[in-house]
Amino acid sequence: MLLFRSRTAIYGSRGLLHQVPRYSLTRNINMDSKQFKEAATSAIDEIVSYYDTIEDRRVVSNVEPGYLKKLLPEAPPQDGESWADIQKDIESKIMPGLTHWQSPNFMAFFPASSSYPGMLGELYSAAFTAPAFNWICSPAITELETIVLDWLAKLLNLPDCYLSTSHGGGVIQGSASEAIVTVMVAARDKYLRETTAHLTGLELEDAIGYKRSKIVALGSEAAHSSTQKAAQIAGVRYRSIPVSKDNGFALTGAALAQALDECRAQGLEPFFLTSTIGTTATCAVDDFEAIATTLAKYAPPNVPGEVWVHVDAAYAGAALVCPEYQHLTAQFEHFHSFDMNMHKWLLTNFDASCLYVRKRKDLIDALSISPSYLRNEFSESGLVTDYRDWQIPLGRRFRSLKIWFVLRTYGVKGLQAHIRKHVKLGEVFAGLLQTRKDLFEIVTGPSFALTVFTIVLKVEGKKERDAITQEVYELVNKRGEIYITSSVVGGEYVIRVVSANPLAEEKFIRKAFEILVDTAEEVRDGKPSRRGVNGVIVNGKAEGVGEVAVLNGFGSAK
């Protein structure tokens, strides 16, 4: 509420002592329920309009660093503002700095799914707002998370050992990177505890200190960088295992065996391995059967000194809802943890990373502390789950609600249709590239809707080929009609295209192909661009498209 202030004089026996402020109520600026309903209706209308017209917006933001500081005041307002005034700034100040991940023209990185049921879950979660660090904070928050993650585990064809009804279970993390840090800490403590269990006192302390300097986490060259970052956070060494094009850039048993031999020859003790369904650059799938066989020989499971295997399926794990991909989980009973992001490809708003462990005790032993202020009869009874012991933070949001809404709204068949639609779009795009073998060469894919390719030169030369491919990639993104990403795979500069968000359609795939053909011919062959800036050719070149074409840095053509 808005207050005005006057001063009241306080007198004593010696006259005026001091003045104190006197406040009076003049206007209520707290948003009441009626105002909230009006504001929420207006916001929802604007969100719906945004989604309905998102394909017309420039995909990639083209603002300069620091643009927003120039548009906003240096401090918050002294008096509260109306919602109408605040809402206006979404379009005028925030929208120009957004890259539109939900656009059907967004074909970069991997998708970050959004859906209306997921948004409703976030709305309710924000309304309930409970930190939910233990069961008694809000029993429904804990129990719904357990239930929906068991639903999802069955849907993904995970072995029963990952269910809450066994010794394992699932927990929602913020990201796949957070999940890897969490399980690496658990793996580190498990390895040190089990391999020094025969020692006590100072001898135990010395042995743990020595082993901590020698233990090493492993991941393939194609594994996400989050494993290396997790090793850095956990204070352990990291070694990368080479992969090759001959094996589709997948981690093989032979490569793992060689890495294990090399580590041991150097006096190092491997304790953790990240394997992957759907590597970042190419969506490769590691050879899980060979990995399990190799580790059974070098570090037998369920004995002290075993290597914790984590399966990172952040993006492609969503495809496991389809029976045609479920053979990939056959070896997972031999592994220790699995994670996939529903917020990438499974219609759930960020963040919703679903981590499963085969033995929940491993997480709890590493992460549980119980200060007096967290103790209660339910936690002490051992009959409830306290998810604070399954993660690094203490508090946690009601994220299972949006997963529950998504699973119920789409159903199993709807989720399967969603995945298959995008897999088909990937096949369509790869087929289009094949019609222009004079211009494009597919390096990998389509795999889980991702296709990786380079530009073909009339005269071969790796350096020149990389340079032309990079120039095409950068020019496409500069113009902003579509957004794509690049990578370096096997020493080769490549372009990645994946169209897998809910608004993706074949017409946008065909449009992307036309843009790539036009740009490749322009860069490689010197042909003038046939595409324009908002429909207009400028100086024989199309410099940008979308909401605003920024040409020559001035917002208008020369």
Side-chain angles (χ1 to χ4, degrees), residues 102-104 113-114 315 318-319 321-322 324-325 345-347 410 412-430 446 448-450 498-509:
Q102 306 312 314
S103 169
S113 286
S114 179
Y315 163 67
V321 301
C322 299
E324 57 266 34
Y325 292 102
W345 198 11
L346 218 50
L347 294 162
Y410 290 92
V412 174
K413 292 181 179 179
L415 296 176
Q416 290 172 342
H418 172 74
I419 297 298
R420 288 169 178 152
K421 168 189 170 183
H422 297 132
V423 170
K424 179 63 177 176
L425 290 179
E427 293 170 352
V428 169
F429 180 74
F448 300 102
L450 171 67
V498 55
S499 180
N501 70 34
L503 297 178
E505 295 180 37
E506 184 172 331
K507 67 179 181 181
F508 298 107
I509 282 289

Side-chain angles (χ1 to χ4, degrees), residues 75-93:
Q78 290 297 314
D79 296 324
E81 300 176 85
S82 70
W83 171 251
D85 289 337
I86 296 169
Q87 188 177 17
K88 286 189 302 184
D89 285 346
I90 294 293
E91 186 65 45
S92 64
K93 295 180 174 62

Side-chain angles (χ1 to χ4, degrees), residues 267-283:
L268 302 178
E269 301 179 30
F271 78 102
F272 183 91
L273 170 70
T274 293
S275 57
T276 309
I277 295 180
T279 57
T280 304
T282 66
C283 263

Side-chain angles (χ1 to χ4, degrees), residues 140-378:
I141 296 179
T142 294
E143 296 194 11
L144 184 63
E145 184 161 338
T146 301
I147 291 167
V148 298
L149 287 180
D150 277 353
W151 283 9
L152 182 62
K154 295 172 184 176
L155 183 56
L156 299 174
N157 196 43
L158 297 184
D160 288 348
C161 59
Y162 290 97
L163 297 174
S164 67
T165 50
S166 67
H167 296 291
V171 57
I172 302 172
Q173 304 280 342
S175 69
S177 300
E178 184 180 330
I180 290 177
V181 173
T182 302
V183 295
M184 188 180 290
V185 168
R188 180 197 65 192
D189 286 11
K190 175 179 181 292
Y191 184 90
L192 293 173
R193 182 175 61 251
E194 292 180 351
T195 56
T196 60
H198 59 292
L199 302 174
T200 59
L202 288 177
E203 193 176 10
L204 173 62
E205 290 183 20
D206 289 343
I208 289 177
Y210 176 78
K211 281 183 174 290
R212 283 194 68 150
S213 72
K214 295 296 182 180
I215 58 177
V216 57
L218 305 174
S220 82
E221 286 180 340
H224 193 270
S225 59
S226 54
T227 298
Q228 184 175 0
K229 185 173 184 178
Q232 183 175 327
I233 294 170
V236 299
R237 300 180 189 231
Y238 177 76
R239 292 290 184 272
S240 180
I241 305 173
V243 295
S244 71
K245 188 173 183 178
D246 293 341
N247 295 306
F249 302 105
L251 176 62
T252 64
L256 174 59
Q258 183 176 344
L260 293 169
D261 285 338
E262 290 173 355
C263 286
R264 290 177 176 174
Q266 297 168 10
L268 302 178
E269 301 179 30
F271 78 102
F272 183 91
L273 170 70
T274 293
S275 57
T276 309
I277 295 180
T279 57
T280 304
T282 66
C283 263
V285 177
D286 290 342
D287 188 343
F288 298 123
E289 183 175 3
I291 289 170
T293 301
T294 299
L295 289 176
K297 175 183 176 182
Y298 282 79
N302 302 316
V303 298
E306 68 173 328
V307 175
W308 181 300
V309 181
H310 174 70
V311 179
D312 178 13
Y315 163 67
L320 296 174
V321 301
C322 299
E324 57 266 34
Y325 292 102
Q326 292 182 349
H327 63 280
L328 296 174
T329 68
Q331 300 297 321
F332 288 4
E333 64 182 337
H334 303 300
F335 301 154
H336 299 74
S337 54
F338 169 92
D339 182 80
M340 62 80 64
N341 291 341
M342 284 196 71
H343 62 244
K344 275 194 167 68
W345 198 11
L346 218 50
L347 294 162
T348 307
N349 305 61
F350 190 86
D351 53 348
S353 188
C354 302
L355 170 65
Y356 292 89
V357 290
R358 194 177 68 191
K359 293 183 179 178
R360 55 183 174 266
K361 185 177 184 297
D362 293 335
L363 277 186
I364 295 169
D365 285 348
L367 301 173
S368 178
I369 58 170
S370 296
S372 58
Y373 55 82
L374 293 179
R375 290 177 181 161
N376 61 84
E377 61 177 304
F378 302 101

Side-chain angles (χ1 to χ4, degrees), residues 1 4 17 22 26 54 67 74 125 135 148 182 239 246 267 335 360 377 383 444 459 473-474 480 537-538 541:
M1 57 187 73
F4 72 83
L17 295 178
R22 183 178 64 198
T26 59
I54 194 171
Y67 91 99
E74 293 185 357
S125 177
W135 181 85
V148 298
T182 302
R239 292 290 184 272
D246 293 341
F335 301 154
R360 55 183 174 266
E377 61 177 304
L383 298 177
T444 66
V459 178
Y473 156 73
E474 291 176 349
I537 298 292
V538 180
K541 274 195 166 185

